[in-house]
Amino acid sequence: MSTGARLQDAWLRRGALACLLWPLSQVYGALFALRRAFYRWGWQKTGRVPVPVIVVGNVIAGGAGKTPVVMAVVRHLQARGLRVGVVSRGYGRRTDDCREVRADSDPQDVGDEPALIHHATGAPVFVARQRIEAARALLEQHPATQVIVSDDGLQHLALARDIEICVFDDRGVGNGWLLPAGPLREPWPRHCDLLLHSGERPAFAEGYTATRELAPYALAKDCRRIPLDTLAGQPVIALAAIARPEAFFTMLRARGLTLADTLALPDHHDFTGWQRPADPALPLVCTEKDAVKLWQQAPHALAVPLHFEPSPAFFAALDAKLSSLDGYQAA
């Protein structure tokens, strides 16, 4: 078991490893509280932009499904006729400047998740170490933008926000301890405007749910749709460089695919120079997030999109909160 997998397992219970790390979690908690106090006292500044900002994030480490939520929110707002922009840090990229994500951007320069969001929604996406810088650059280049969605950033206090969406998966809060003894990035419970469960078993009674399943097709690099039925009955190689790769493999099997081998790589894996270790004659299927980087090394790989749909009640609550904001101009 890898170090990351061992930690993920330890975070689900208050066992020996979690207890060993508990003193460090107290140091982490004290530093987090001090940082929040600096913003509360005005020693560190929070910047505001002239359009509503919706932050989609989580309080647990290890991937709770926030990027599919970001894309679902963006698509919903676009369907209402709103001009939406997205900002992100661009985690895992090799650059640290502020830049716009374009169709021909190298995912290594902008981050795999921002590249996927732009590809999937067509919305303008800007990345920067400071999301407030990304938001200002986005509005300068796209002044007609009416709403900004921040991909992650619940803990990024430098950007003022109007609506916070907190995403949880089936793990809930795990063992309830802060990093590194548990999965929490900050103490829970904490206030948030909307709570969304991305898994199959909601962790709390409150909040909204969503349906999630793999698409019945895979995408080729040239955007062709390959029905998964055509891959059923033959062995395939499955690859996932996400926080919880086994979840992807399980969903592929549920779609009727026979996995001859599975390649679980670290989240945000850098595929530069990657060489396929498995049988090159077998189809290679991967997540849509991995494909934006993997296609540079393995152009014949097939990406299976995730269809993620929050409940109508979630979108109704989001629309109501957005409409109640001072100065908000609906489409």
Side-chain angles (χ1 to χ4, degrees):
M1 182 184 293
S2 68
T3 301
R6 189 176 296 110
L7 269 179
Q8 291 278 353
D9 182 66
W11 288 345
L12 296 178
R13 58 191 61 85
R14 296 184 177 183
L17 180 56
C19 289
L20 182 65
L21 295 171
W22 182 81
L24 293 178
S25 74
Q26 300 305 292
V27 176
Y28 173 91
L31 292 174
F32 183 86
L34 184 62
R35 178 170 170 270
R36 276 201 175 275
F38 283 173
Y39 279 97
R40 187 168 61 249
W41 297 335
W43 293 357
Q44 288 185 285
K45 301 298 183 183
T46 296
R48 179 169 291 279
V49 293
V51 300
V53 172
I54 302 171
V55 171
V56 179
N58 48 47
V59 298
I60 63 169
K66 63 172 178 53
T67 300
V69 177
V70 169
M71 293 190 293
V73 168
V74 170
R75 288 177 176 132
H76 170 74
L77 297 177
Q78 289 173 329
R80 290 185 50 199
L82 294 168
R83 291 179 287 274
V84 188
V86 179
V87 297
S88 173
R89 179 183 177 184
Y91 183 82
R93 64 191 177 114
R94 62 191 175 193
T95 60
D96 61 1
D97 60 348
C98 178
R99 64 175 63 195
E100 183 170 8
V101 180
R102 303 185 183 278
D104 59 352
S105 292
D106 188 331
Q108 302 289 354
D109 294 332
V110 298
D112 48 14
E113 289 167 344
L116 172 59
I117 292 168
H118 178 65
H119 173 78
T121 68
V125 180
F126 276 72
V127 296
R129 288 180 61 85
Q130 297 293 322
R131 290 175 183 82
I132 181 63
E133 181 183 1
R136 288 167 176 162
L138 189 155
L139 291 175
E140 181 178 350
Q141 294 297 316
H142 302 273
T145 299
Q146 295 168 285
V147 181
I148 289 178
V149 178
S150 175
D151 174 32
D152 208 355
L154 282 184
Q155 294 81 35
H156 183 74
L157 305 179
L159 174 62
R161 69 286 313 270
D162 300 280
I163 299 173
E164 288 187 328
I165 301 172
C166 190
V167 184
F168 279 97
D169 59 15
D170 291 337
R171 294 171 297 163
V173 296
N175 62 17
W177 283 348
L178 294 172
L179 291 167
L184 291 179
R185 297 176 174 180
E186 59 178 298
W188 183 266
R190 53 96 84 193
H191 170 77
C192 65
D193 297 288
L194 296 170
L195 182 64
L196 181 64
H197 300 281
S198 66
E200 297 179 356
R201 300 178 300 277
F204 316 113
E206 66 272 21
Y208 300 92
T209 58
T211 59
R212 52 181 293 155
E213 61 179 356
L214 292 182
Y217 59 86
L219 291 173
K221 185 179 180 181
D222 61 5
C223 297
R224 288 181 298 115
R225 291 189 175 189
I226 313 298
L228 290 185
D229 290 346
T230 64
L231 299 176
Q234 61 174 307
V236 302
I237 307 299
L239 178 150
I242 56 178
R244 302 174 66 201
E246 285 301 329
F248 177 65
F249 302 149
T250 299
M251 296 175 81
L252 286 175
R253 293 187 181 100
R255 277 290 185 185
L257 270 62
T258 301
L259 307 188
D261 195 9
T262 58
L263 306 175
L265 300 173
D267 197 10
H268 305 286
H269 182 68
D270 182 355
F271 287 98
T272 302
W274 182 80
Q275 295 292 323
R276 175 174 170 166
D279 187 346
L282 298 181
L284 176 64
V285 297
C286 64
T287 71
E288 199 174 14
K289 185 178 86 167
D290 294 324
V292 298
K293 290 189 292 189
L294 184 59
W295 275 331
Q296 299 178 11
Q297 308 297 328
H300 299 298
L302 300 175
V304 184
L306 175 68
H307 282 176
F308 183 88
E309 187 63 29
S311 66
F314 168 80
F315 285 129
L318 174 62
D319 291 342
K321 288 186 178 295
L322 194 57
S323 297
S324 68
L325 298 178
D326 291 340
Y328 168 67
Q329 298 295 321

